[in-house]
Amino acid sequence: MGLLGIFLSLILLMYLAYRGINVLILAPLLALLAVVMSGDLPVLATYTQVFMNSLGGYVITYFPLFLLGAIFGKVMADSGAARSIAEWIVDRLGAQRAVLAVVLSCGVLTFGGVSLFVVAFAVYPIANALFRRADIPKRLLPAAIALGSFTFTMTAFPGTPAIQNAIPMPFFGTNVFAAPLLGTLAGVIMLAGGTMWLNRRARAAGAEGYGDHPVTAADATLPEDADLPPFALAILPVVSVIVLNAVLTWFVFPNMSADYLAEPRYGETTLSSVAGIWAIIVSLVASILLAVGLNLRRFANLRESVNSGTMGSLLPIFNTASEVGYGAVIASLPAFALIRDAVLGLFPNNPVASLSVAVNVLAGITGSASGGMSIALNTLGEQFATMGQEQGISMELMHRVTALSSGGFDALPHNGAVITLLAITGLTHKKSYPDIFVVAVLIPVIALITVIVLGTVL
């Protein structure tokens, strides 16, 4: 009954999330359903001491990254900087390379720390006009935005400030630049493979053309006469995030004396465990200040922009933290030992492959890259790290495989980003999801397998 309860709980979580019920409600209720079906276990104690404790721990660790990332994205959007970058790329590449222009516009912004949701709203009006001018079917537009927003810049390219690249750091003692060569290779596979697929699909459409589509609310979000900053100023905050992150990670924090971290009041931790998160926090704060300073006169209401970004960070982090709490409850159940042993035994001589399966499956079930990864690492991370160390596997490889694995099955139809993207573009799963699946699920999984094979051999 315990095993049945776990599987029933997981299936209901996936189905009801797809039906639009918020995970803040679903996660505790379905976690406790699994507890009840497991037998004589204390329900209230599990909720307060396991679920809430795990949820709170996640918020304590990652809230600054969600908060600062959301504020940075909002500042970049409201100052016109995000649109300026997108238009510069589009102007340089032209209508004949419309797909690549859209992908790179999204990629530059997300790699610079702008939230994928903000990027979708900022880039869509420009991308839509470009697709119409190039007479490319609009049904391919969501896949182009998805490719640039939540594939190679989210999980692959080293240095990306995406939360999916930050979560593995404390588990493996790594930083956001882990396994740079393999990460870059995976990113190139996703970028090149996805772009070639969409270009091929556009050519195969023949006389179909852009199509007849109604105007959506997002079409009018950016007025044509907006006072945009020049590209050189618009791109500076994005460059700042990347450069500062690298300098702090490789040169500043490694040379700091931080013996005080061993004291109980500072969590009895080590510098290597927190340096990666510190680097992202400092980089984002400095880049927010830079973006505001360079574009102060362009804000209609700076206070409202900051407040909006702040509030916009709350639902994403608590959704993810609730999924982490759910995973902690499931991991505490006696029947979970059977699942854990099965996952660990899939590839007993290759913990990298086992880790990739665990993260992909949980990301697919929850429809969340960060949520699935967090559940996997909080429940099995210690075992995977120990197995990797015993077999002499690089912790940087474990980090990169974990990040890449979170960006595979997460983009199934019930994924929140997919649903939001289709709503922004005014399209449906039936029209656009097959191409989203190829560029955001199939090709990233191919890139992941390539990294696992090469990483294991080398």
Side-chain angles (χ1 to χ4, degrees), residues 56-82:
Y58 185 88
V59 172
I60 289 171
T61 302
Y62 296 111
F63 178 65
L65 305 189
F66 279 83
L67 173 67
L68 295 171
I71 292 174
F72 180 67
K74 188 62 176 172
V75 166
M76 289 290 290
D78 288 357
S79 67

Side-chain angles (χ1 to χ4, degrees), residues 211-261:
D212 183 20
H213 301 279
V215 175
T216 70
D219 284 319
T221 56
L222 296 173
E224 290 296 325
D225 59 349
D227 176 24
L228 302 181
F231 174 77
L233 289 183
I235 199 70
L236 273 180
V238 173
V239 174
S240 171
V241 172
I242 300 167
V243 173
L244 280 176
N245 201 350
V247 170
L248 292 169
T249 297
W250 286 333
F251 301 108
V252 177
F253 290 142
N255 295 311
M256 283 178 53
S257 175
D259 296 338
Y260 56 85
L261 288 173

Side-chain angles (χ1 to χ4, degrees), residues 89-102 129-136 199:
I89 293 173
V90 167
D91 289 343
R92 295 303 180 279
L93 293 177
Q96 71 276 14
R97 295 186 181 89
V99 170
L100 181 60
V102 173
L130 184 62
F131 267 50
R132 182 183 284 111
R133 189 160 69 243
D135 206 27
I136 295 174
N199 282 331

